[in-house]
């Protein structure tokens, strides 16, 4: 059964549309919504390159497809057929591109296409009952295969993103510290040169002054 549906722009993770009644009958609905936000954040940073993936989370599975810089994501029961989940997403993708394709890149606020919920709800109803003749036909459609779509665990996926963020932060910190050390090293070298040559400069200055005074007196 389809539990949650969200559409977001991949480049920055901006949510574009979602099912307005999603999560009402879910225990820990807020936790799953936070996982969705984290997944979009990872995608916006390029941490997951697969254009189609299934991600297990507790008793549910996130399924997503990426097309035209847009991610179409749904969360279903683990028992819900993977093939139907991805065909459901394909239907959403085709209609969303047809209706809103020209405005996706310029959308500036979250849920700019919230009216798309009407189509989400209508399409979700078509896919809820896996025993209908329509859905049985889709399950038997040999031209649509999902066997090669990777399935991973949500902690594994989000953990990879967190580790990459940590590596990036460590790298930035090391770069910053390297600059600081380099600046300090230049200052120390400058001070060492001053200490080394200052006495010589003073002596030469005194000698020059004596010659100048002597020249004036003569």
């Amino acid at each position: 059964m389809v539990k949650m549906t969200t559409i977001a722009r991949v480049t920055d993770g901006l949510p574009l549309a979602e099912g307005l009644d999603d999560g009402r009958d879910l225990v820990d609905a807020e936790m799953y919504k936070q996982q969705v936000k984290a997944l979009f954040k990872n995608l916006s940073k390029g941490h997951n390159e697969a254009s189609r993936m299934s991600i297990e989370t507790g008793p549910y599975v996130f399924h997503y497809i990426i097309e035209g810089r847009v991610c179409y994501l749904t969360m279903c029961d683990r028992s819900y057929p993977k093939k139907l989940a991805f065909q459901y997403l394909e239907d959403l993708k085709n209609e969303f591109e047809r209706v809103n394709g020209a405005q996706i890149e310029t959308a500036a606020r979250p849920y700019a296409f919230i009216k798309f919920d009407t189509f989400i709800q209508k399409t979700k109803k078509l896919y809820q009952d896996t025993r209908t003749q329509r859905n049985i036909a889709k399950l038997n459609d040999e031209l649509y295969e999902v066997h090669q779509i990777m399935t991973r665990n949500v902690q594994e996926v989000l953990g990879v993103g967190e580790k990459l963020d940590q590596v990036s932060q460590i790298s930035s910190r090391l770069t910053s510290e390297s600059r600081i050390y380099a600046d300090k090293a230049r200052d120390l070298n400058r001070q060492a040169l001053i200490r080394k040559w200052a006495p010589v400069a003073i002596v030469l200055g005194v000698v020059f002054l004596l010659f100048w005074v002597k020249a004036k007196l003569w």
Side-chain angles (χ1 to χ4, degrees):
M1 194 171 182
V2 176
K3 296 291 186 180
M4 189 182 297
T5 304
T6 307
I7 300 171
R9 193 164 57 198
V10 174
T11 50
D12 54 7
L14 182 75
L16 301 174
E18 71 174 10
L20 294 180
D21 67 343
D22 285 352
R24 290 182 181 177
D25 61 341
L26 280 176
V27 178
D28 296 328
E30 191 57 35
M31 179 191 74
Y32 294 115
K33 288 183 178 180
Q34 290 301 318
Q35 288 182 348
V36 170
K37 289 181 181 179
L39 287 170
F40 287 148
K41 181 180 178 182
N42 276 8
L43 289 171
S44 70
K45 295 180 178 180
H47 291 170
N48 298 310
E49 297 181 359
S51 61
R52 282 163 170 72
M53 186 180 288
S54 297
I55 303 170
E56 297 174 341
T57 175
Y60 306 108
V61 182
F62 292 121
H63 303 284
Y64 77 73
I65 63 176
I66 297 174
E67 192 82 31
R69 298 185 179 181
V70 177
C71 179
Y72 305 84
L73 180 145
T74 187
M75 187 178 81
C76 307
D77 293 311
R78 284 201 183 215
S79 59
Y80 190 79
K82 186 174 183 178
K83 199 169 190 177
L84 285 183
F86 279 97
Q87 287 179 311
Y88 165 67
L89 292 174
E90 290 282 356
D91 286 354
L92 296 185
K93 174 186 73 70
N94 293 336
E95 181 66 9
F96 192 79
E97 286 181 346
R98 186 185 71 80
V99 176
N100 304 307
Q103 302 170 316
I104 292 170
E105 290 298 325
T106 56
R109 58 184 175 84
Y111 305 107
F113 309 107
I114 198 64
K115 291 182 180 179
F116 193 71
D117 168 66
T118 303
F119 185 81
I120 292 176
Q121 299 305 329
K122 183 176 70 174
T123 308
K124 187 162 68 171
K125 287 179 182 177
L126 295 174
Y127 280 89
Q128 291 294 57
D129 187 352
T130 61
R131 297 166 297 179
T132 64
Q133 186 174 354
R134 173 186 178 277
N135 288 335
I136 290 173
K138 284 183 173 292
L139 286 170
N140 292 329
D141 183 2
E142 295 181 358
L143 296 178
Y144 194 89
E145 286 298 334
V146 295
H147 297 302
Q148 294 181 347
I149 296 176
M150 187 185 305
T151 299
R152 298 176 68 184
N153 181 272
V154 70
Q155 296 302 327
E156 177 188 358
V157 173
L158 296 182
V160 168
E162 290 171 0
K163 288 175 182 177
L164 288 173
D165 283 342
Q166 290 172 1
V167 169
S168 178
Q169 290 171 4
I170 291 171
S171 177
S172 296
R173 188 169 66 248
L174 289 174
T175 300
S176 178
E177 290 175 353
S178 296
R179 291 197 189 100
I180 292 171
Y181 291 143
D183 290 341
K184 287 183 178 179
R186 281 195 293 270
D187 289 340
L188 290 172
N189 287 334
R190 193 179 301 114
Q191 292 172 15
L193 287 171
I194 291 171
R195 286 196 297 269
K196 180 178 179 180
W197 295 107
V200 176
I202 291 171
V203 170
L204 290 174
V206 170
V207 171
F208 178 79
L209 181 61
L210 290 174
F211 275 112
W212 183 80
V213 171
K214 185 176 180 182
K216 284 289 185 181
L217 292 175
W218 281 92

